[in-house]
Amino acid sequence: MTSRLHGLYAITDPMLIPDQRLLPAAQAALRGGARLLQYRDKPASAMQRLERAGRLAALCRQYGALFIVNDDPALAQAVKADGVHMGQSDGAVPAARALLGADKIIGVSCHGDLALAAKGAAEGADYLALGRFYPSHTKPKAPPVTLDTLREARDRFTQPLVAIGGVTADNAQPLIDAGADMVALIHGLFATTDCDEIEVRARQLSRLFPVR
């Protein structure tokens, strides 16, 4: 499944796309070519998360895209997601792997710290996420990461790399050229109430990646 870790990685945000807009916005991103969709919804209740994640999982299957759950391996297991994205809590990757099994994708946030990336790789993470590379609306105080760090990560690690943080269709190409297998977007994709515009943005970004 890791061979499919390539292209536009869309990440939901309940502030930008609340429940009534979640599915239409996600579907617009998938129509535009998003190859991965991550459900990220920290304020929701457990019941809301289960219901919303289930609907998104079914939608991703319809479009042949991978569905990833943010920071909740149990929810990923419950909705038969393709994987989970984890932060840097101790033991996150091994615990998620023990629950989900060898055939699920586990991604890990590494910020700009290649020691964290090495730790994630050693623990069996399937992809490594680096960033922020540009000013970010979602995490404005996150320390910036340089293209040189991304290039060094590409030289050091065989795992697919995700570049995140302030990415748009206008600034994504240098990240891809530096070795990013995927670019992840929240605000740059979903900060509009127009689903047609979401699809246009997704299509612009998807076209930046070589066809596999």
Side-chain angles (χ1 to χ4, degrees), residues 43-52 72 75:
S45 69
M47 185 174 296
Q48 288 172 325
R49 286 164 54 81
L50 180 63
E51 191 272 335
R52 294 169 186 172
D72 192 339
L75 178 59

Side-chain angles (χ1 to χ4, degrees), residues 30 36-37 55-67 82:
L30 294 167
L36 301 92
L37 179 75
R55 288 189 291 160
L56 289 173
L59 186 64
C60 286
R61 286 191 289 269
Q62 177 184 337
Y63 281 86
L66 296 172
F67 179 59
D82 296 298

Side-chain angles (χ1 to χ4, degrees), residues 8-17 22 25-26 29 34 36-42 56 66-70 85 109 127 129 138-139 162-165 183-191 198:
L8 172 59
Y9 190 162
I11 302 177
T12 70
D13 183 321
M15 300 301 294
L16 295 176
I17 42 174
L22 178 60
L36 301 92
L37 179 75
Q38 182 187 132
Y39 174 55
R40 181 178 181 271
D41 190 358
K42 298 182 184 297
L56 289 173
L66 296 172
F67 179 59
I68 307 295
V69 170
N70 178 263
H85 180 87
S109 293
Y127 71 75
T138 304
K139 293 189 176 182
V162 179
I164 189 170
V183 292
L185 281 83
I186 302 175
H187 197 275
L189 191 58
F190 292 121
I198 293 172

Side-chain angles (χ1 to χ4, degrees), residues 127-142:
Y127 71 75
L128 308 172
L130 299 168
R132 64 170 175 90
F133 286 94
Y134 305 113
S136 168
H137 291 272
T138 304
K139 293 189 176 182
K141 295 183 180 180

